[in-house]
Amino acid sequence: MLKKLLSVSAGLLLTLTVYAATTEWADNHPDRYVVKKGDTLWDISARFLKKPWHWPEIWQDNGQIKNPHLIYPGDVLVINDHRLGTEGGFGPHVRSSSYEDAIPPIPLSALKQWLQNVRIVGEDDLRDAPHVVGIEENQLRGTPGQLVYIRGLAAQPGTRLALVRPSGRYYDMPPEDDGRPREVHRQAKDDFHDRRPDLLWRHGPNEFTLSGNVRFLGYEVREFGVVEVTRSADVSSALIISSDFEAKAGDYVLPIDPRPYDDQYVPHAPGKVPENMRVVAFSDALNAVGPRQVVALSRGSEDGIENGQTFSIYHEGEDVVDDTDYPEGSVKRFFHPRDARATLPPEYIGHVMIFRTFQRVSYGLVMDAVKPVHICDFMFDPDRTP
């Protein structure tokens, strides 16, 4: 059931205060803007501010308002005497509106696959997960209305569970070259077998190297259906209630996440950027991505990552040879090869905002970019430069 907000506000919804001494207004910002359906909080912020993630700082808490971050289509934002507020004065205004009608921070509707159908689980979760061993009438594939037979399940009849299928696994490992950051990797499902011993990380490649241990980040699994337990035994029965594609032997079942994602967060800068937080994968099999595309990042909740945090994305500076002071074939270059090399400064790429967080991996949406985002690009404080 949708929760309703009953808010009494000054003007249309609330009053916002801008501290002119610290706020950086966007060039050619409007003096008046009418909020429209399809807007996002980031888009609106970017119209007024050079740094959209500072949006929360310009809101003045109003005790009469249950959630001061909610704005709705039709609200009119105006700038007057270095103040950003709502048009209409300070007369009381009563409105009953649902959270669903509020302007989202980012286009959540375009991220359904990543919000509801993908999750990251640890090795213990996958090692202990019950699995499908057969389909009703010895079929190879199962569809809604058919029974699947599950081994290792301890659940009462009537319990609903999620059908999941592994799609990849994430890890980082020591670099090949001394002095370089740890490398991050996503190993696609095509690179390992369905058999659980092959799937589990302890049997995976590169678990240990002479340079140090590999850090396992998690399995990426796709939730593609729901089953309801009909019989509990050594081999249990469950009815497929819904599925995006056919179930098969080797699929796993996990508890349904009661709150698969957070839809009430706002852009903000992180208090601290974890060391070596990097792009580990893209939403598609591409060499690079741009704005409004999803990236997986190599740090999660155990590193302090939370939804709404915004990071700057940078590309490592290239190593070049100084041919001016260290010409090729010169004695100086021969005896000082290290000094002949120089590392260029990191290149700014754009911004990414976190929208879903797991223990060691998080997903973010690229909000803006001046150059393509690549694997291993690193995160940095959005209010500073490396």
Side-chain angles (χ1 to χ4, degrees):
M1 174 181 284
L2 289 176
K3 296 181 178 179
K4 296 292 182 178
L5 281 180
L6 182 61
S7 54
V8 180
S9 62
L12 289 175
L13 178 62
L14 48 86
T15 299
L16 308 98
T17 299
V18 173
Y19 301 97
T22 58
T23 300
E24 295 184 62
W25 294 100
D27 297 332
N28 302 316
H29 63 76
D31 293 327
R32 180 179 184 276
Y33 180 73
V34 180
V35 180
K36 300 178 178 61
K37 186 176 181 179
D39 280 341
T40 65
L41 190 57
W42 181 279
D43 295 333
I44 295 172
S45 305
R47 290 178 180 273
F48 291 100
L49 303 174
K50 288 184 177 180
K51 300 179 178 180
W53 56 93
H54 282 188
W55 182 255
E57 299 176 13
I58 68 174
W59 295 74
Q60 178 180 347
D61 289 337
N62 186 325
Q64 294 176 306
I65 303 207
K66 186 174 181 180
N67 188 336
H69 299 302
L70 296 180
I71 59 176
Y72 296 81
D75 285 351
V76 181
L77 304 180
V78 295
I79 294 177
N80 197 354
D81 295 330
H82 301 294
R83 290 169 60 88
L84 179 60
T86 53
E87 189 176 68
F90 294 93
H93 181 78
V94 178
R95 170 167 61 195
S96 177
S97 300
S98 70
Y99 285 110
E100 188 177 65
D101 296 331
I103 295 300
I106 54 180
L108 298 176
S109 60
L111 301 174
K112 179 183 176 182
Q113 173 188 350
W114 302 95
L115 293 170
Q116 298 178 331
N117 301 111
V118 176
R119 71 165 98 167
I120 303 295
V121 300
E123 183 173 358
D124 289 344
D125 296 317
L126 200 61
R127 179 190 296 113
D128 301 332
H131 62 286
V132 176
V133 293
I135 312 294
E136 182 180 6
E137 297 181 348
N138 203 28
Q139 298 292 312
L140 295 177
R141 297 289 187 270
T143 57
Q146 289 184 298
L147 291 174
V148 292
Y149 302 115
I150 302 170
R151 193 175 188 184
L153 178 63
Q156 295 299 316
T159 303
R160 292 198 171 191
L161 301 163
L163 272 171
V164 306
R165 187 174 296 172
S167 55
R169 54 189 177 195
Y170 296 99
Y171 61 97
D172 67 17
M173 59 187 296
E176 293 184 2
D177 300 324
D178 292 340
R180 303 297 294 175
R182 288 176 66 89
E183 300 171 0
V184 292
H185 298 274
R186 178 185 186 274
Q187 189 178 26
K189 177 62 177 62
D190 295 340
D191 294 336
F192 50 88
H193 300 291
D194 287 334
R195 298 185 302 269
R196 185 157 12 205
D198 297 318
L199 184 65
L200 291 178
W201 174 248
R202 66 173 182 271
H203 297 287
N206 303 319
E207 187 167 4
F208 177 80
T209 71
L210 294 178
S211 300
N213 288 328
V214 173
R215 182 173 183 255
F216 181 64
L217 303 179
Y219 295 100
E220 181 184 83
V221 299
R222 179 173 181 183
E223 299 182 21
F224 68 92
V226 174
V227 298
E228 182 175 308
V229 179
T230 59
R231 176 178 178 270
S232 181
D234 290 341
V235 177
S236 301
S237 302
L239 182 69
I240 302 177
I241 302 299
S242 63
S243 64
D244 296 331
F245 45 83
E246 295 175 320
K248 64 182 180 65
D251 288 333
Y252 297 88
V253 293
L254 294 173
I256 293 176
D257 190 344
R259 185 183 174 89
Y261 64 93
D262 183 3
D263 61 355
Q264 296 181 42
Y265 54 90
V266 293
H268 63 281
K272 180 181 179 182
V273 181
E275 183 180 358
N276 199 40
M277 182 177 178
R278 293 179 178 269
V279 176
V280 65
F282 301 141
S283 57
D284 297 298
L286 304 172
N287 293 325
V289 295
R292 296 304 191 262
Q293 289 182 293
V294 174
V295 294
L297 303 170
S298 63
R299 294 293 179 265
S301 58
E302 74 173 19
D303 306 291
I305 302 303
E306 61 184 34
N307 289 344
Q309 286 180 338
T310 301
F311 298 89
S312 290
I313 309 171
Y314 280 85
H315 186 74
E316 291 279 5
E318 301 293 333
D319 288 337
V320 298
V321 176
D322 183 357
D323 286 322
T324 301
D325 286 343
Y326 298 84
E328 185 176 0
S330 66
V331 174
K332 188 176 182 182
R333 182 163 168 176
F334 178 80
F335 284 104
H336 302 280
R338 288 182 177 271
D339 294 341
R341 302 193 67 83
T343 301
L344 302 181
E347 296 182 354
Y348 168 75
I349 302 298
H351 293 104
V352 61
M353 179 176 165
I354 305 299
F355 67 84
R356 197 162 187 215
T357 306
F358 300 92
Q359 183 180 6
R360 292 185 174 181
V361 175
S362 55
Y363 290 115
L365 186 69
V366 179
M367 305 307 299
D368 53 57
V370 296
K371 296 180 179 180
V373 180
H374 291 86
I375 298 295
C376 286
D377 285 347
F378 69 91
M379 304 302 107
F380 202 77
D381 187 331
D383 294 319
R384 298 170 53 217
T385 55

